[in-house]
Amino acid sequence: AQSVTQPDIHITVSEGASLELRCNYSYGATPYLFWYVQSPGQGLQLLLKYFSGDTLVQGIKGFEAEFKRSQSSFNLRKPSVHWSDAAEYFCAVGATKSSGDKLTFGTGTRLAVRP
Amino acid sequence: ETGVTQSPTHLIKTRGQQVTLRCSSQSGHNTVSWYQQALGQGPQFIFQYYREEENGRGNFPPRFSGLQFPNYSSELNVNALELDDSALYLCASRGRLSTDTQYFGPGTRLTVL
């Protein structure tokens, strides 16, 4: 069975600083990987997804993520954080193309942005 | 806006009761999934419905059941509520392809006392 680990429960960065959120997955074959963001009182919004091809994926709101098979990682990055990026971020994996939307989520990383 | 709405926003029930949560998907989205998100946790997949039939279930007991209707609405029913059922329940819908983006609703916060 697939699993996702987000090692950082809580991260605080200063506005304008760069950001990297870590995600490690466990799955035997090529996974389908996702990053979602959840703001208070909101549902989950998809930031980006990886199915195949280029291992550097661009998403919305200036986010990108890099799939590294050798490290079983899919870390999320942003070069300059804005105060509005404060939210909870979830990494998720889908097992196969046919069930790519039956997702297994990590426990999330809560991002705080310091003015 | 995702075009996915859920009702009610909040709900309080007592142990042993039954509850029905509702979701309205975007027009044309014939696949809906339900997730349970306990406090401080990531969402957990409950089940998925495609064309009104269950199409996969996570590790949840049969007292969690669902319905999907032709008008792109769906329901999650939970019988014999337990304290551990307290959570945010999210529905997500997508179009025909499994690789289509899923759109999540804002969720229903269920509290079981």
Side-chain angles (χ1 to χ4, degrees), chain A residues 36 38 43-44 46 49 51 90 97-98 101-103 105-107, chain B residues 35 37 41-43 45 48 55 94 98-99 101-102 104-106:
Chain A
Y36 283 87
Q38 186 176 39
L44 294 164
L46 179 67
K49 59 186 178 184
F51 286 157
F90 292 95
K97 189 172 185 178
S98 64
D101 57 345
K102 301 180 181 74
L103 302 177
F105 284 84
T107 52
Chain B
Y35 289 82
Q37 185 178 14
Q41 301 295 316
F45 175 71
Q48 182 181 85
N55 181 42
R94 63 159 173 82
S98 66
T99 51
T101 295
Q102 282 194 96
F104 282 81

Side-chain angles (χ1 to χ4, degrees), chain A residues 22-41:
Chain A
R22 295 184 291 166
C23 172
N24 293 97
Y25 68 89
S26 173
Y27 182 63
T30 300
Y32 294 88
L33 295 162
F34 306 79
W35 274 100
Y36 283 87
V37 61
Q38 186 176 39
S39 299

Side-chain angles (χ1 to χ4, degrees), chain A residues 5-115:
Chain A
T5 301
Q6 294 181 248
D8 305 306
I9 297 173
H10 191 271
I11 284 182
T12 301
V13 300
S14 298
E15 191 168 16
S18 63
L19 172 69
E20 182 169 27
L21 302 182
R22 295 184 291 166
C23 172
N24 293 97
Y25 68 89
S26 173
Y27 182 63
T30 300
Y32 294 88
L33 295 162
F34 306 79
W35 274 100
Y36 283 87
V37 61
Q38 186 176 39
S39 299
Q42 303 293 316
L44 294 164
Q45 182 182 22
L46 179 67
L47 289 175
L48 47 80
K49 59 186 178 184
Y50 172 79
F51 286 157
S52 64
D54 193 347
T55 57
L56 185 62
V57 181
Q58 301 297 320
I60 62 171
K61 302 185 179 185
F63 286 94
E64 67 177 26
E66 187 171 11
F67 170 61
K68 293 185 178 180
R69 183 190 302 275
S70 61
Q71 299 177 20
S72 297
S73 69
F74 188 58
N75 293 349
L76 182 71
R77 300 193 294 249
K78 187 170 185 178
S80 177
V81 169
H82 188 263
W83 63 267
S84 61
D85 293 325
E88 186 132 29
Y89 292 79
F90 292 95
C91 181
V93 62
T96 66
K97 189 172 185 178
S98 64
S99 62
D101 57 345
K102 301 180 181 74
L103 302 177
T104 298
F105 284 84
T107 52
T109 297
R110 181 164 296 278
L111 173 66
V113 180
R114 193 186 301 119

